[in-house]
Amino acid sequence: MSALLEVDGLSKHYPVFERRLFRAAKQSEIRAVDGVSFTVNEGETLGLVGESGCGKTTTARSILNLVTPSDGAVRFRGEDIVPVFKGSDRARMLEIRRSLQYVFQDPWLSLNPRWTIGETLKEPLRVHRPEAPESWDARVAELLQMVGLEPHHAWRYPHEFSGGQRQRVGIARALAIEPKLLILDEPVSSLDVSVRAQILNLLVELQDRLGLAYLYISHDLSSVRYISTHVAVMYLGKLVEIGPVDDIFTRPRHHYTRALLSAIPVPSPGEAQDRVVLKGEVPSAMRRPAGCPFHPRCAAALPVCATDEPMLMQPSAPHRAACHNPA
């Protein structure tokens, strides 16, 4: 399987300024994303998981230059696209954006309430395919049917739909220009449980039909296990474990991953569950601990964990963990 998207050493740091007399001086920085590397292959799904605030969404937005990365490379089919977004070649930038599309977390906030659904779905066609306006109506009807809606829904407004239907519209908008990869930023977190299952099944069906690749961002580990082929775990802006989905869920090597998995609810309330309770709070991204960022909360920490930051082991191995004392 060939690599579609390669993220190499991606970082996003935000400066923090202290107000002084007549000027603002840089005091420190928030390392929201710090040296993240992973690969998404054609037709596969990489699940990116971690606690709220760990840098998942910032990673996704940095890939598409919705926020400008501080460092690192983002390669799409072998080409580093970061210089393209920073440059002046608008035609090449639009060409790349046609292949990489984003589905936002909140379908209500991501849709213009003053536009009909048809106008919303025509907008990417206006930008990327202005030469054939006579085909737009047919394409809108095709997209609506593709995501389980009806062609006459094109005349309705977002407030006339349920949350699940609005998310279907968001998916249809992302598919309008036939992308190769979708970045799905917690696409089911705001939906009811039954509707979540419908959207996840739709995403699986579309992937099989269209040959799409997904970067699926979520803190819902059950949905990650259902839809993903590989999983990457983030903690405090860093990647701490990555591997095939079955290996991550059955044989986690990083102690933070074990704690996350132990928090998944079990179907039977009386069933025994090996819970891993973490001590303390997540450290500030502005005052990250020396060594392993997880060591203040890790029950298996060694003295070396407080001084030396672990790297992801064996770059060629399918299952890697950044841990001095892996489980």
Side-chain angles (χ1 to χ4, degrees), residues 84-98:
V84 177
F85 287 132
K86 292 181 178 179
S88 58
D89 189 348
R90 176 175 168 78
R92 180 62 184 138
M93 182 185 70
L94 288 177
E95 185 179 347
I96 292 171
R97 289 201 183 279
R98 279 195 288 272

Side-chain angles (χ1 to χ4, degrees), residues 235-292:
Y235 180 78
L236 208 61
K238 286 189 169 291
L239 211 61
V240 298
E241 187 165 8
I242 188 168
V245 61
D246 289 337
D247 288 351
I248 294 290
F249 277 83
T250 59
R251 296 179 296 277
R253 305 195 66 185
H254 199 280
H255 299 280
Y256 174 64
T257 308
R258 292 182 63 240
L260 284 180
L261 296 177
S262 74
I264 300 176
V266 295
S268 174
E271 184 179 338
Q273 190 173 11
D274 184 17
R275 292 295 301 271
V276 178
V277 180
L278 298 178
K279 58 185 180 181
E281 300 291 334
V282 180
S284 168
M286 201 162 54
R287 299 176 183 85
R288 183 176 293 168
C292 174

Side-chain angles (χ1 to χ4, degrees), residues 63-111:
I63 290 171
L64 288 179
N65 203 54
L66 300 179
V67 295
T68 304
S70 304
D71 197 10
V74 178
R75 288 185 286 273
F76 180 72
R77 288 182 167 168
E79 177 190 4
D80 189 356
I81 61 177
V82 174
V84 177
F85 287 132
K86 292 181 178 179
S88 58
D89 189 348
R90 176 175 168 78
R92 180 62 184 138
M93 182 185 70
L94 288 177
E95 185 179 347
I96 292 171
R97 289 201 183 279
R98 279 195 288 272
S99 297
L100 301 171
Q101 287 292 299
Y102 202 105
V103 176
F104 295 90
Q105 177 178 356
D106 191 330
W108 176 248
L109 295 178
S110 65
L111 299 176

